[in-house]
């Protein structure tokens, strides 16, 4: 008798959870459709964002070191899993409610959630849309809650009319009410959930999402699109890159395309900023507060600068390093207009993604520190900070704040998002040398094989590259012209392979004469160190 009672409770538990999750599928797919049309935020992704921002530093560090670029998709997946599990839990709560409250318990549970979601979304969408958010969330949640309550009431009625224990009712092949109830639940879930999800994917596929901006458009077109077209002065054009170096096949190009430039963010979705409504506020310890518009930014004398950006989470082969031709305005020109008061310690930069970091005033005043608005001749892509980001040569990517909205000069040492989680505040790039090729098995019939890769030392440049085969002597490699010093330098070494398995190792000396650190260290908290080596089989 006790076993039978436990089996019945277990089956009722599973049915309530399953019906709760089915209700969650319908409302979540509906929200996906609205989100895909740019009308509403997406709660599972909001949960992922909340998890990223509220996680202790140890968890954030573990995720980055363990998952690397996969940490963000993992947070999204985690948000979806938690969200669906939450609907299953709601099904259990409603299923265990007294019969008199059954039809009202789900809506009552969901109403606070609707209010909370509207409040959470306000920071991203603006106060003018709060009413719409509350209506959209409230109506959809309450409708889903009513549907959940209705299904659970029908389940109870079917069990009562069948006069069977729950587990027998589920397995009874001739019970029409059982089959009809399950069929209706399946139809609503598949049609309502699947249809909305498919429509959302289609909407995103044809590019109907969000606000239209000038992200990723040629700079000349961005200028022409302004109400009063302006010239786009380039007071300091970039010098031509050296072209007298032949890189071995398999070595990455000198400049990375915008599509292949690495992306790492703390947010699950990139902010969409309309450049015509965008304003950059410069304030704090300045003589004059400045409000810089998109047109103001494009009207100022600009700089073209070839530069490499490297994530502090970089490890060999994870791809978190890229090079582009930046276009922007020297930050020190902005500060000359604002007037810098005495006592400034840090320049705090805040972005639309609620991310912030700081750099010392001395670094901000260097001629190569830019308010960047262009990459490779186009405006910034949305994922890279359109309309404006910070580019600080020599410092890891964490300091290069994207989607800039505010710059504040302060008289103290400001700790940003990652510093609060235990990462370095200095963020000076460590010297690295990387082997791009060869990585495959080689034929011993090859006369000479070109080994090659890149080396990077922030804004210090690279002085020499050396290669070692197995435990042999270090030998000098040919280095691409060391100009400009802000980008990675490609190298090559011509090797006559002998049959067998060989370990190839590379090391660099930076432009200041400092050899690369050979001791191995993980990225946290100051960036990785250690030599890169690969094993090459020659047959």
């Amino acid at each position: 008798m006790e076993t039978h009672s436990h089996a019945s409770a277990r089956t009722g538990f599973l049915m309530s959870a399953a019906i709760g999750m089915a209700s969650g599928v319908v409302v979540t797919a509906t929200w996906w459709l609205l989100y895909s049309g740019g009308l509403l935020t997406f709660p599972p992704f909001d949960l992922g964002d909340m998890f990223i921002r509220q996680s202790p530093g140890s968890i954030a560090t573990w995720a980055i070191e363990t998952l690397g670029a996969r940490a963000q998709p993992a947070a999204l997946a985690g948000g979806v899993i938690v969200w669906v599990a939450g609907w299953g839990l709601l099904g259990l709560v409603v299923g265990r409610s007294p019969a008199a409250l059954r039809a009202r318990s789900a809506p009552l549970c969901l109403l606070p959630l609707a209010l909370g979601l509207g409040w959470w979304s306000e920071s991203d969408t603006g106060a003018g849309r709060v009413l719409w958010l509350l209506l959209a969330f409230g109506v959809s949640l309450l409708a889903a809650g009513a549907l959940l309550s209705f299904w659970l009431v029908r389940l109870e009625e079917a069990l009562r009319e069948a006069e069977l224990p729950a587990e027998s009712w589920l397995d009874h092949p001739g019970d029409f009410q059982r089959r009809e109830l399950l069929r209706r639940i399946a139809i609503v879930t598949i049609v309502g959930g699947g249809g909305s999800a498919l429509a959302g994917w289609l909407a995103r596929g044809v590019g109907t999402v969000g606000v239209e901006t000038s992200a990723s458009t040629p700079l000349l077109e961005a200028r022409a699109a302004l109400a009063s077209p302006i010239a786009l002065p380039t007071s300091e054009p970039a010098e031509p890159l050296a072209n007298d170096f032949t890189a071995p096949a398999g070595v990455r190009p000198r400049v990375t395309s915008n599509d292949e430039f690495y992306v790492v963010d703390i947010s699950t979705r990139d902010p969409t900023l309309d450049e015509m409504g965008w304003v950059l506020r410069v304030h704090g310890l300045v003589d004059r507060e400045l409000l810089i518009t998109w047109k103001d930014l494009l009207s100022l004398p600009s700089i073209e600068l070839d530069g490499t950006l490297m994530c502090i989470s970089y490890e060999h082969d994870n791809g978190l390093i890229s090079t582009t031709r930046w276009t922007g305005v020297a930050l020190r020109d902005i500060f000359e207009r604002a007037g810098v008061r005495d006592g400034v310690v840090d320049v705090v930069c805040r972005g639309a993604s609620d991310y912030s970091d700081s750099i010392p005033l001395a670094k901000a005043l260097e001629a190569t520190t830019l308010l960047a608005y262009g990459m490779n001749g186009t405006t910034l892509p949305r994922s890279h900070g359109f309309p404006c980001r910070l580019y600080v040569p020599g410092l890891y990517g964490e300091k290069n704040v994207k989607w800039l909205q505010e710059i504040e000069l302060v008289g103290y040492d400001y700790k940003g998002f990652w510093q609060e989680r235990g990462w370095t505040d200095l963020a000076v790039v460590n010297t690295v040398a990387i082997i791009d090729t060869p990585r495959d098995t080689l034929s011993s019939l090859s006369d000479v094989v070109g080994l090659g890769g890149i080396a990077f030392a922030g804004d210090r440049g690279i002085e020499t590259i050396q290669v070692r085969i197995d435990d042999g002597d270090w030998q000098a490699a040919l280095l691409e012209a060391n100009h400009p010093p802000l980008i990675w330098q490609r190298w090559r070494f011509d090797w006559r392979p002998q049959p067998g398995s060989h370990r190839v190792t590379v090391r660099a000396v930076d432009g200041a004469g400092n050899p690369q650190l050979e001791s191995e260290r993980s990225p946290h908290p100051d960036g990785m160190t250690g030599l890169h080596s690969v094993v090459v089989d020659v047959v």
Side-chain angles (χ1 to χ4, degrees), residues 312-325:
I312 196 170
S313 299
Y314 173 83
E315 293 182 289
H316 295 312
D317 297 328
N318 71 4
L320 299 182
I321 182 172
S322 302
T323 295
T324 190
R325 172 163 291 186

Side-chain angles (χ1 to χ4, degrees), residues 388-454:
C388 179
R389 69 172 296 162
L390 193 67
Y391 172 60
V392 193
L395 301 187
Y396 283 114
E398 66 177 86
K399 296 290 183 178
N400 296 252
V401 179
K402 298 193 285 189
W403 305 292
L404 268 178
Q405 291 186 313
E406 182 182 353
I407 296 176
E408 182 182 9
L409 283 69
V410 300
Y412 56 91
D413 182 17
Y414 180 86
K415 303 299 183 183
F417 181 90
W418 288 116
Q419 287 77 55
E420 292 177 343
R421 289 157 176 78
W423 291 77
T424 177
D425 191 28
L426 298 176
V428 176
V429 170
N430 296 312
T431 302
V432 294
I434 304 164
I435 301 169
D436 284 341
T437 187
R439 296 295 187 89
D440 301 322
T441 300
L442 298 177
S443 171
S444 59
L445 298 178
S446 302
D447 183 20
V448 176
V449 173
L451 310 182
I454 63 169

Side-chain angles (χ1 to χ4, degrees), residues 197-510:
L198 178 60
W201 282 113
L202 291 175
R204 297 182 73 79
V206 298
T208 61
V209 184
V211 178
E212 290 293 329
T213 71
S214 296
S216 298
T217 62
L219 288 171
L220 292 178
E221 289 186 16
R223 176 196 61 191
L226 296 174
S228 300
I230 59 172
L232 186 60
T234 303
S235 56
E236 297 182 36
E239 296 186 21
L241 295 175
N243 59 7
D244 57 352
F245 176 84
T246 302
V251 174
R252 68 196 74 190
R254 193 83 187 268
V255 175
T256 311
S257 69
N258 289 357
D259 290 340
E260 295 179 346
F261 203 102
Y262 84 88
V263 176
V264 173
D265 294 309
I266 64 167
S267 301
T268 59
R269 291 146 292 175
D270 300 325
T272 301
L273 300 181
D274 178 3
E275 69 274 14
M276 294 309 173
W278 172 81
V279 175
L280 173 62
R281 181 188 178 202
V282 181
H283 67 111
L285 295 178
V286 296
D287 297 329
R288 293 167 297 279
E289 180 174 321
L290 301 180
L291 297 176
I292 301 172
T293 67
W294 175 243
K295 184 177 179 180
D296 295 333
L297 191 64
L298 267 63
S299 300
L300 294 169
S302 63
I303 295 174
E304 287 183 351
L305 195 64
D306 294 303
T308 296
L309 194 64
M310 183 179 185
C311 181
I312 196 170
S313 299
Y314 173 83
E315 293 182 289
H316 295 312
D317 297 328
N318 71 4
L320 299 182
I321 182 172
S322 302
T323 295
T324 190
R325 172 163 291 186
W326 302 98
T327 301
V329 175
L331 185 57
R332 68 179 183 181
D333 291 350
I334 301 297
F335 288 170
E336 285 181 7
R337 292 170 178 249
V340 178
R341 295 180 182 175
D342 294 337
V344 175
V345 175
D346 270 355
V347 176
V348 181
C349 299
R350 300 184 177 93
S353 60
D354 198 27
Y355 177 85
S356 67
D357 211 319
S358 64
I359 58 175
L361 177 62
K363 190 66 178 178
L365 293 177
E366 291 181 1
T368 53
T369 299
L370 300 183
L371 292 179
Y373 56 80
M375 291 173 62
N376 289 330
T378 74
T379 58
L380 294 174
R382 179 184 169 196
S383 60
H384 293 292
F386 180 83
C388 179
R389 69 172 296 162
L390 193 67
Y391 172 60
V392 193
L395 301 187
Y396 283 114
E398 66 177 86
K399 296 290 183 178
N400 296 252
V401 179
K402 298 193 285 189
W403 305 292
L404 268 178
Q405 291 186 313
E406 182 182 353
I407 296 176
E408 182 182 9
L409 283 69
V410 300
Y412 56 91
D413 182 17
Y414 180 86
K415 303 299 183 183
F417 181 90
W418 288 116
Q419 287 77 55
E420 292 177 343
R421 289 157 176 78
W423 291 77
T424 177
D425 191 28
L426 298 176
V428 176
V429 170
N430 296 312
T431 302
V432 294
I434 304 164
I435 301 169
D436 284 341
T437 187
R439 296 295 187 89
D440 301 322
T441 300
L442 298 177
S443 171
S444 59
L445 298 178
S446 302
D447 183 20
V448 176
V449 173
L451 310 182
I454 63 169
F456 181 58
D459 56 359
R460 302 183 300 277
I462 298 294
E463 182 177 292
T464 59
I465 288 286
Q466 294 179 317
V467 175
R468 182 175 65 190
I469 308 298
D470 298 322
D471 294 323
D473 296 332
W474 288 100
Q475 304 177 67
L478 179 64
L479 187 65
E480 191 167 22
N482 191 18
H483 182 80
L486 305 182
I487 68 172
W488 60 37
Q489 305 301 127
R490 299 186 297 177
W491 59 269
R492 71 171 296 144
F493 178 80
D494 293 331
W495 174 42
R496 297 181 182 275
Q498 299 297 318
S501 182
H502 302 280
R503 177 170 293 278
V504 179
T505 308
V506 63
R507 71 181 182 183
V509 175
D510 70 17

Side-chain angles (χ1 to χ4, degrees), residues 90-112:
L90 181 63
L92 294 178
V93 172
V94 176
R96 295 298 183 268
S97 299
L101 297 177
R102 186 69 52 80
R104 298 187 297 273
S105 55
L108 290 175
C109 289
L110 289 168
L111 186 57

Side-chain angles (χ1 to χ4, degrees), residues 63-93:
I64 292 173
E65 292 181 345
T66 306
L67 302 176
R70 298 186 297 275
Q72 188 182 75
L76 289 177
V80 173
I81 292 171
V82 170
W83 183 256
V84 173
W87 279 90
L89 180 61
L90 181 63
L92 294 178
V93 172

